[in-house]
Amino acid sequence: MICPRCNTENDNRTICKKCGYYLYRADAQNRKKMTRGQLAVSDAKIAGKKAGKIFRYIWIGITIIVLSFWLVAGMVFLISMIGG
Ligand SMILES: [Zn+2]
């Protein structure tokens, strides 16, 4: 976010690193000033982020299951190679 006072880029900071100006964030402090439509859009974005997080955990879980399956399959294959 760019500081409206001194035009310094502050990334995700809430206070300007150069002049100390308080930078309002749309998802927190500015919430009360938002209209109902904007609030709905914001809520949808937050819900989307949460869903994305859950999806990522599911994806990690699937990856672990698949990887462990291949690990076991590989071990079984190796054991059968050694045995036979
Ligand atoms: Zn500033």
Side-chain angles (χ1 to χ4, degrees):
M1 187 172 180
I2 294 158
C3 176
R5 195 193 265 175
C6 66
N7 291 318
T8 304
E9 179 56 60
N10 285 287
D11 301 316
N12 286 325
R13 283 167 205 268
T14 50
I15 295 162
C16 178
K17 63 185 172 185
K18 198 179 177 187
C19 70
Y21 189 84
Y22 199 85
L23 305 165
Y24 288 99
R25 290 181 72 175
D27 59 341
Q29 283 84 3
N30 262 4
R31 222 184 156 97
K32 279 171 195 170
K33 289 175 187 173
M34 284 172 131
T35 63
R36 237 176 227 203
Q38 283 175 315
L39 208 70
V41 170
S42 171
D43 284 349
K45 274 184 189 172
I46 291 160
K49 266 186 190 172
K50 272 185 186 172
K53 228 176 192 179
I54 292 161
F55 179 77
R56 214 166 71 178
Y57 283 126
I58 293 163
W59 183 247
I60 289 162
I62 290 164
T63 308
I64 289 163
I65 291 161
V66 169
L67 277 174
S68 60
F69 170 78
W70 280 109
L71 206 73
V72 169
M75 277 168 82
V76 167
F77 177 73
L78 278 171
I79 289 160
S80 69
M81 283 281 283
I82 294 159

